[in-house]
Amino acid sequence: MILNPKKGENGQEINLNGKNVALKECLGIRHVQILMVFLLTFISFGMKVNLSIGIVAITDDKVNPGIPTFHWNTEEKGLLLSAIFVGYVLPQIFAGILAKRYGSKWILTFSMGFCALFTCAIPKSAEFGVWACILCRFLQGLCQGFFFPCVHNLISLWIPCNERSTMGSFIYSGCTLGIVIGMLLTGELSASIYGWPSAFYIYALFGFIWMFVWAFIGESSPKNHKNISIEEKLYIINSYGYSCTDKSKKILTPWKEIFISRPFWGLLIVHCGQMWSYFTLMNELPTYMNTILKFDIKENGVVIALAYFVAWIASFPFAIGTDFIINRKMLSIGNARKIATSIGLFGPAIIFLIISGVDDLTTIKVVVLIMTGLSMNSATLSGFQLNHIDISQNHAGTLMGITNSCANLCGIITPIIVDIIVVDEYDPTQWDEIFLLSAGIYLISGMFYIAFGSGEIQEWDKI
């Protein structure tokens, strides 16, 4: 089949049997897939944080009299909050292999369905005791552990190389926006006449709706989508520069080659460094703002939500700028990723050093610095976060599974480290040590990535 050259609205062309074929659609099937995956990350992070906010109402009968509450101690609440991370890290590598072998569509469909089911079960499970609730959170995490490896697999197959930074960052920015909306929505629902259970029911509903829509319109690859045009399909496939392995065949994972690969280790270290400080802020910032900056609970939630919202907005210019630099060939893919990552890690590290080293900072200045740090950190979405796909089209989901499982162990470790260092929550000098530790980890992991990272497809990807 040979198509004659046509002029498209966006001027992009593909080659089919020696002929240039214009891509007519400014908006195509790939954008529908991208929007759905963005909603997946948005909903999943709302499910993650709604307990972090809702646990106040769950354990305090003064928040909403008439709604059932449960008197769990500090240790039980800590186990409840960390249970989702324990479940989350377990299936990551397995999920990447499954997505590579069978495609991501139905894995995401069923994992979101079960995640919504366990979210819906939390209010009822609380009546049976804290351990029933912990089990539900663990199973939520187990389901969500399939998400990111599958998302990376979808990005590697659905997003053309010249759109990867912008569209990939848009997808993962759903995590940040999910935190913002999840915090605000959970707070409002917990204080309403419907009480804290409604926050879990509404997110379960979101999950079920997403599952049914995705089952009808989602697809693992443009090669398998029934409604995609031949022009758009070939525009996506030809953008990679070489053919990915046929997904109908068994794909062997080159484990030895991966684990002796310097670019892989660069990714692993920087991912762990990023998530260490990210989890430290996400878990401990509310306490710091309450005990040191003297914000009450209501002000705390608004300020933190605003900080993450500003970070979500900031992710877009970083993503667009990274794609611009790559597409104009101003820098190589690897160097563009390193610059974005450097902004996202070294910028916040400097800010943490300022907060810990300057004694006379006002509350407003500290809040502005934290917002600036979170905003700069969003550059990592167009940096190392997408680098798995740059170095391996065929094994991107597996690579994400490995690095993400290791990185998310920090969600379990960081609260323990903070508890060891911060003995007195009202002592600012102990919090300064936390900021210094986070800055050091950012700097070391960022320099490691600059030294060992790459933007080139590795030879072991073609094995």
Side-chain angles (χ1 to χ4, degrees), residues 90-100 107 145-146 149 255 398 401-402:
L90 294 179
Q92 295 271 336
I93 299 174
F94 178 63
I97 296 171
L98 281 181
K100 177 179 62 178
I107 298 174
F146 288 87
W255 294 108
T398 302
I402 298 170

Side-chain angles (χ1 to χ4, degrees), residues 230-291:
I230 186 66
E231 292 93 348
E232 184 180 12
K233 181 186 295 186
L234 290 174
Y235 168 61
I236 296 170
I237 294 171
N238 289 353
S239 76
Y240 299 136
Y242 81 99
S243 297
C244 293
T245 307
D246 185 351
K247 298 299 188 258
S248 65
K249 299 177 181 178
K250 185 177 181 180
I251 306 170
L252 298 177
T253 303
W255 294 108
K256 178 184 176 181
E257 288 78 9
I258 289 174
F259 281 102
I260 62 174
S261 169
R262 298 202 323 171
F264 164 75
W265 280 101
L267 266 177
L268 179 63
I269 297 301
V270 76
H271 201 161
C272 289
Q274 155 66 9
M275 296 310 290
W276 178 284
S277 296
Y278 180 83
F279 281 126
T280 298
L281 276 181
M282 188 172 74
N283 293 330
E284 307 301 334
L285 188 57
T287 302
Y288 172 80
M289 293 181 68
N290 176 250
T291 58

Side-chain angles (χ1 to χ4, degrees), residues 352-366:
F352 289 163
L353 291 174
I354 293 172
I355 293 174
S356 63
V358 181
D359 294 330
D360 59 348
L361 288 174
T362 64
T363 298
I364 296 300
K365 288 180 180 179
V366 174

Side-chain angles (χ1 to χ4, degrees), residues 115-128:
C115 187
L117 183 64
F118 295 128
T119 302
C120 187
I122 285 176
K124 192 66 178 177
S125 68
E127 298 178 11
F128 293 93

Side-chain angles (χ1 to χ4, degrees), residues 121-386:
I122 285 176
K124 192 66 178 177
S125 68
E127 298 178 11
F128 293 93
V130 68
W131 285 102
C133 209
I134 288 172
L135 177 61
C136 282
R137 284 292 281 182
F138 170 80
L139 293 172
Q140 267 188 306
L142 200 66
C143 294
Q144 290 200 11
F146 288 87
F147 288 174
F148 272 26
C150 288
V151 167
H152 242 52
N153 179 266
L154 288 171
I155 291 174
S156 73
L157 296 173
W158 271 103
I159 300 180
C161 291
N162 64 309
E163 300 175 3
R164 184 174 293 161
S165 298
T166 304
M167 295 295 100
S169 296
F170 172 70
I171 286 172
Y172 283 115
S173 74
C175 304
T176 306
L177 188 62
I179 292 173
V180 175
I181 302 301
M183 292 173 67
L184 294 176
L185 184 59
T186 301
E188 289 296 322
L189 289 173
S190 296
S192 72
I193 60 172
Y194 304 106
W196 63 266
S198 61
F200 296 94
Y201 294 142
I202 195 69
Y203 269 100
L205 179 61
F206 291 161
F208 285 129
I209 292 173
W210 187 92
M211 177 190 70
F212 285 116
V213 175
W214 175 254
F216 281 101
I217 69 174
E219 191 50 79
S220 296
S221 164
K223 293 180 181 179
N224 302 329
H225 204 287
K226 296 179 181 179
N227 298 321
I228 190 171
S229 67
I230 186 66
E231 292 93 348
E232 184 180 12
K233 181 186 295 186
L234 290 174
Y235 168 61
I236 296 170
I237 294 171
N238 289 353
S239 76
Y240 299 136
Y242 81 99
S243 297
C244 293
T245 307
D246 185 351
K247 298 299 188 258
S248 65
K249 299 177 181 178
K250 185 177 181 180
I251 306 170
L252 298 177
T253 303
W255 294 108
K256 178 184 176 181
E257 288 78 9
I258 289 174
F259 281 102
I260 62 174
S261 169
R262 298 202 323 171
F264 164 75
W265 280 101
L267 266 177
L268 179 63
I269 297 301
V270 76
H271 201 161
C272 289
Q274 155 66 9
M275 296 310 290
W276 178 284
S277 296
Y278 180 83
F279 281 126
T280 298
L281 276 181
M282 188 172 74
N283 293 330
E284 307 301 334
L285 188 57
T287 302
Y288 172 80
M289 293 181 68
N290 176 250
T291 58
I292 303 301
L293 301 184
K294 307 303 180 183
F295 284 100
D296 61 30
I297 294 176
K298 185 175 181 180
E299 293 170 334
N300 213 341
V302 172
V303 171
I304 293 174
L306 178 61
Y308 279 104
F309 181 74
V310 172
W312 178 69
I313 296 295
S315 67
F316 296 110
F318 285 128
I320 294 169
T322 303
D323 264 344
F324 180 84
I325 289 171
I326 292 172
N327 294 334
R328 293 296 181 92
K329 301 188 184 303
M330 299 166 67
L331 290 172
S332 66
I333 293 174
N335 286 333
R337 299 276 184 243
K338 289 177 182 180
I339 287 177
T341 301
S342 297
I343 294 171
L345 298 184
F346 297 156
I350 293 171
I351 285 173
F352 289 163
L353 291 174
I354 293 172
I355 293 174
S356 63
V358 181
D359 294 330
D360 59 348
L361 288 174
T362 64
T363 298
I364 296 300
K365 288 180 180 179
V366 174
V367 170
V368 171
L369 284 170
I370 290 173
M371 285 186 177
T372 304
L374 282 172
S375 298
M376 296 179 75
N377 186 244
S378 66
T380 59
L381 294 179
S382 47
F384 80 87
Q385 185 80 12
L386 298 171

